[in-house]
Amino acid sequence: MFAKTGEGAGSGAEPAAHRPGGPMVEIRGVDVAFRTGDRTVQALSSIELTVERGEFLSIAGPSGCGKSTLLRVVAGLTSPTAGEVALRGSPVLGPRRDVGFVFQRAALLDWRTARGNILFQAEMRGLPKAWARKRADELMELTGLTGFEKAMPFELSGGMQQRVSLCRALLHEPDVLLMDEPFGALDALTRENMNIELRRIWERTGMTVVLVTHSVAEAVYLASRTVVMGPRPGRVIEEFPVELPGHRDYERTLKNAEFQRITSRVRELLGSTAPAD
Amino acid sequence: MAPQAQHVSDPPSAAVADDDRTATKPVRRRRPPSAVTGAVYPVTFLALLTVAWFVVTATELVQPYIIPSPGDTWSTFTDHGAYLWEHTLVTTGETVAGFVIAAVVGILVAVLMVYSPALEKTFYPLILFAQVVPKIAIAPLFVVWLGFGTSPKILVAVLMAFFPVVISGISGLRSVDPELLELTSTMGASRLKTFWKVRFPAALPELLSGLKVAATLAVTGAVVGEFVGANSGLGYVILQANGNIDTPMLFAALIIMSALGVLLFALIQLAEMLLIPWHASRRNRV
């Protein structure tokens, strides 16, 4: 019904994880510069990054390291000044329909119920109604929103709102889920719970996720690989494969020696690149 | 790290989460009774005001030709009911027509201005000029152009009511969450669809505030138009009564005009209740 922005974009009914292998996201020599007045700020400098299909990649870094900008470049919301990005092999030239995006704030439509907010994704894309309703119900069950279908956003806690936002981002079965500080506005306890939930969902669905975060523990607990970025200009400092068990119990993972080794190394790197956040 | 932290408890399982839901329910249940108790205050105040009016006139503290008694005013309603009704209908028609035109044109102009900075720059000074020019001064010109019929009155009402609609429309349409607009751009939806499903509903709270102001101004506009040249309408009634020093009739006309404004205001209030029950301004009051 609407023009597709990317090749093969949209509503494939088959989850990304089941498609043939190969890189999902390829970032090649990406630079982003912003002009403010007569000053040019180099937000990102020569970023090289590949995200494999089914991988959970987390990007940790201090404020101003350009990690959010990088995520926006992948989604096609910001154009790189140099370099190129490809999603599933097709170059990103504008906003992409084959991604799911979760912001720090839930950014829900205040006038719609939880379910209505999730179905908003389907309405805007013109996806079949019956299919979308079924999928919305499945996602609400997956994220523990069953029973809250008719709740308005103002009746939901911050964590519940963010669950709705996650369901909305997953409704159209995107090839890649992009999360920009999704739990940054939540209190510590809720955040932990959301981490456990997200890890569980990823273990069950095997989707490709790129998550940007301030929290080192979050970055390592959730990911199969963690990238550490530094500021001025925003660049990749180091990458860590997170070799922890596939199924991660939260308490046990936090006590795991490998987990502690990686987190302390990441903290060291962050401490050396930027003032405390 | 967590500046907007909300609920501390955020249970991962749906079973526990149900408790969370019941905790939010009372917000809904509290609404109807407070709407009733809320009406007590203005009604009491009006009643006290009427008593004071009665006392002032009954004790002849003020001469009856300056402030007529409530009884005299009431008899004007009963004795001249048909006369007042006829002119009320005229003014009501002009007011409603002026308000509807101002609302439709105002919203259209607001949409055009939000989507086109060039149009905004071009027409903003003109709209501002139309707002600052004294309507009472421009009304005679409308009579010259359009004659003694209803159209110059409607035009003055439009001119009065138009500005708040445009201003609130523009600021409402701009108040939409930019992240929501980015989100819709990843959904590949058309601009029209984005407008109807995101921008317009997001603008409604502010727009409705502007419409409330516009409704009360439309009454003023219609009456100002009638002052300048008319042979019907409440403005005409006031001019006639003034000529005859018929203060009870003046009071009657004033009461009807106020009631007309309040009624229009209340209608939009009702629209607010139906259209934006989700908005903070409706959740926390009434």
Side-chain angles (χ1 to χ4, degrees):
Chain A
M1 188 171 172
F2 300 103
K4 290 185 174 181
T5 352
E7 179 263 322
S11 55
E14 167 195 31
H18 301 161
R19 288 179 191 138
M24 183 61 82
V25 184
E26 291 162 279
I27 303 167
R28 298 280 162 262
V30 162
D31 281 6
V32 173
F34 293 116
R35 196 178 288 271
T36 43
D38 36 54
R39 248 167 31 99
T40 305
V41 178
Q42 191 75 21
L44 290 175
S45 169
S46 350
I47 306 286
E48 296 281 338
L49 207 57
T50 303
V51 187
E52 297 298 330
R53 227 164 265 265
E55 187 177 23
F56 196 129
L57 181 86
S58 65
I59 303 174
S63 298
C65 74
K67 55 193 191 305
S68 293
T69 308
L70 184 59
L71 209 61
R72 296 172 54 87
V73 169
V74 173
L77 294 171
T78 300
S79 314
T81 323
E84 52 192 38
V85 178
L87 266 181
R88 278 200 320 164
S90 83
V92 174
L93 304 169
R96 283 294 284 251
R97 296 188 70 198
D98 42 359
V99 301
F101 212 105
V102 179
F103 294 98
Q104 176 168 346
R105 295 184 310 106
L108 302 178
L109 303 171
D110 294 332
W111 52 92
R112 285 180 173 230
T113 61
R115 199 160 182 268
N117 263 290
I118 296 167
L119 288 172
F120 174 67
Q121 181 78 264
E123 283 170 37
M124 296 298 272
R125 287 169 185 269
L127 298 177
K129 280 199 179 109
W131 177 87
R133 276 193 219 114
K134 194 166 152 277
R135 171 104 178 124
D137 289 341
E138 284 166 11
L139 286 168
M140 292 185 88
E141 202 190 327
L142 183 72
T143 53
L145 281 170
T146 308
F148 289 81
E149 289 85 353
K150 292 194 172 118
M152 299 301 281
F154 72 85
E155 297 173 307
L156 295 170
S157 66
M160 290 310 240
Q161 288 184 9
Q162 203 54 290
R163 281 164 212 251
V164 175
S165 172
L166 178 63
C167 290
R168 181 179 60 188
L170 292 175
L171 186 88
H172 54 298
E173 299 184 329
D175 290 324
V176 54
L177 177 65
L178 305 173
M179 307 181 89
D180 187 2
E181 285 275 2
F183 312 129
L186 305 177
D187 61 90
L189 263 174
T190 309
R191 189 171 194 157
E192 260 182 42
N193 279 325
M194 293 298 286
N195 281 345
I196 295 166
E197 289 278 292
L198 182 59
R199 178 70 201 182
R200 184 178 60 81
I201 292 167
W202 180 78
E203 281 168 16
R204 270 175 61 175
T205 57
M207 61 198 168
T208 312
V209 184
V210 181
L211 173 117
V212 155
T213 182
H214 267 99
S215 156
V216 176
E218 184 172 286
V220 179
Y221 168 72
L222 284 171
S224 24
R225 185 160 53 113
T226 297
V227 168
V228 180
M229 286 182 68
R232 286 175 291 274
R235 66 204 187 279
V236 173
I237 303 175
E238 209 164 322
E239 284 186 36
F240 299 90
V242 182
E243 275 150 9
L244 290 169
H247 174 71
R248 294 179 192 173
D249 175 81
Y250 195 75
E251 297 297 322
R252 233 179 289 159
T253 305
L254 257 57
K255 288 179 196 135
N256 182 299
E258 175 69 1
F259 174 86
Q260 289 175 351
R261 191 188 64 80
I262 300 172
T263 49
S264 63
R265 182 75 190 106
V266 172
R267 284 209 177 86
E268 247 174 74
L269 283 169
L270 292 179
S272 65
T273 56
D277 218 20
Chain B
M1 189 181 80
Q4 307 149 265
Q6 295 180 17
H7 288 203
V8 176
S9 65
D10 200 74
S13 77
V16 193
D18 266 338
D19 296 336
D20 207 7
R21 188 187 195 194
T22 48
T24 61
K25 258 191 173 163
V27 177
R28 273 192 183 161
R29 246 182 268 133
R30 223 181 291 137
R31 249 182 264 157
S34 74
V36 177
T37 51
V40 169
Y41 298 98
V43 167
T44 312
F45 178 68
L46 274 178
L48 285 174
L49 210 63
T50 312
V51 169
W53 179 17
F54 191 82
V55 170
V56 164
T57 49
T59 56
E60 298 214 350
L61 214 63
V62 184
Q63 290 301 309
Y65 71 88
I66 294 175
I67 297 182
S69 71
D72 287 348
T73 310
W74 178 249
S75 352
T76 311
F77 278 110
T78 51
D79 297 349
H80 306 279
Y83 171 80
L84 282 169
W85 179 244
E86 180 198 328
H87 292 288
T88 303
L89 282 183
V90 173
T91 305
T92 307
E94 292 160 357
T95 304
V96 171
F99 172 73
V100 170
I101 294 171
V104 171
V105 178
I107 292 170
L108 278 176
V109 168
V111 170
L112 288 176
M113 283 184 149
V114 165
Y115 279 93
S116 162
L119 275 179
E120 180 177 10
K121 285 195 188 99
T122 313
F123 289 110
Y124 207 93
L126 185 69
I127 288 168
L128 193 63
F129 172 76
Q131 168 64 12
V132 296
V133 66
K135 302 320 170 272
I136 191 95
I138 206 170
L141 199 59
F142 291 164
V143 175
V144 173
W145 290 346
L146 300 168
F148 284 87
T150 50
S151 35
K153 288 91 183 168
I154 294 173
L155 194 58
V156 180
V158 171
L159 208 60
M160 295 275 284
F162 177 72
F163 194 68
V165 179
V166 175
I167 296 300
S168 64
I170 289 176
S171 106
L173 288 166
R174 290 224 169 106
S175 71
V176 61
D177 185 345
E179 283 179 348
L180 265 176
L181 292 180
E182 290 194 319
L183 199 70
T184 57
S185 77
T186 70
M187 296 175 179
S190 65
R191 291 177 81 171
L192 191 68
K193 211 166 181 176
T194 304
F195 176 80
W196 281 118
K197 298 223 173 210
V198 182
R199 262 206 134 119
F200 190 69
L204 275 178
E206 290 211 44
L207 189 60
L208 284 161
S209 298
L211 286 175
K212 278 200 256 184
V213 178
T216 57
L217 288 176
V219 183
T220 313
V223 173
V224 163
E226 285 164 0
F227 274 174
V228 174
N231 41 32
S232 62
L234 292 171
Y236 166 80
V237 169
I238 285 183
L239 283 186
Q240 292 294 306
N242 206 24
N244 304 332
I245 322 183
D246 184 358
T247 37
M249 182 59 87
L250 269 177
F251 264 58
L254 280 173
I255 288 170
I256 296 173
M257 277 191 308
S258 317
L260 186 58
V262 170
L263 193 70
L264 269 174
F265 189 89
L267 278 176
I268 299 166
Q269 197 100 294
L270 184 71
E272 267 189 347
M273 243 146 57
L274 298 173
L275 288 171
I276 54 166
W278 46 270
H279 191 251
S281 69
R282 303 251 38 107
R283 257 183 274 141
N284 300 334
R285 50 190 290 270
V286 179

